[in-house]
Amino acid sequence: MPCAIATEGEPVFVKHSSSAFATTGLEGHLRTEGISRLYVVGAVAGFCVNSTVRAAADLGFAVSVVHDAVIGFDLPSANLDARTIFDVTMGLLAADFASVIGTADAIAAL
């Protein structure tokens, strides 16, 4: 996908765990660059997004989850639909780890 190709000089972190912090140099890079506020988007709400947001909050970053830029999926083996998992995950993250905002608010904040 052309949109996923790094631009020249853009840092790329390949993760091998659920959290973007556990197996990468992301935290060090953010601190070196003086970045303290994060906007989290991506896949998947109940898994990697959840783990990354919680880790970031534990590390002292201010975190916003852009809810309409996050995806989820059903867990048929647990009889859970994607909407339920998504809503519960966003609710838990908003309760103690991050602000949960829409794309328009994220863009306005930048």
Side-chain angles (χ1 to χ4, degrees):
M1 259 185 346
C3 66
I5 297 171
T7 60
E8 186 176 330
E10 180 180 11
V12 175
F13 301 93
V14 178
K15 67 185 191 70
H16 302 280
S17 61
S18 184
S19 168
F21 290 94
T23 57
T24 69
L26 180 58
E27 179 189 4
H29 173 75
L30 295 171
R31 299 227 188 266
T32 297
E33 295 297 317
I35 297 168
S36 60
R37 165 151 291 286
L38 307 178
Y39 294 87
V40 178
V41 302
V44 169
F47 292 89
C48 298
V49 170
N50 188 12
S51 297
T52 296
V53 169
R54 288 170 183 254
D58 287 347
L59 291 168
F61 291 97
V63 185
S64 293
V65 179
V66 185
H67 67 81
D68 52 352
V70 173
I71 65 166
F73 55 74
D74 297 335
L75 286 176
S77 63
N79 198 30
L80 294 169
D81 63 277
R83 174 51 56 194
T84 299
I85 296 167
F86 186 90
D87 290 346
V88 169
T89 300
M90 292 300 120
L92 290 169
L93 292 176
D96 197 37
F97 300 96
S99 62
V100 176
I101 62 174
T103 301
D105 289 332
I107 291 169
L110 299 174

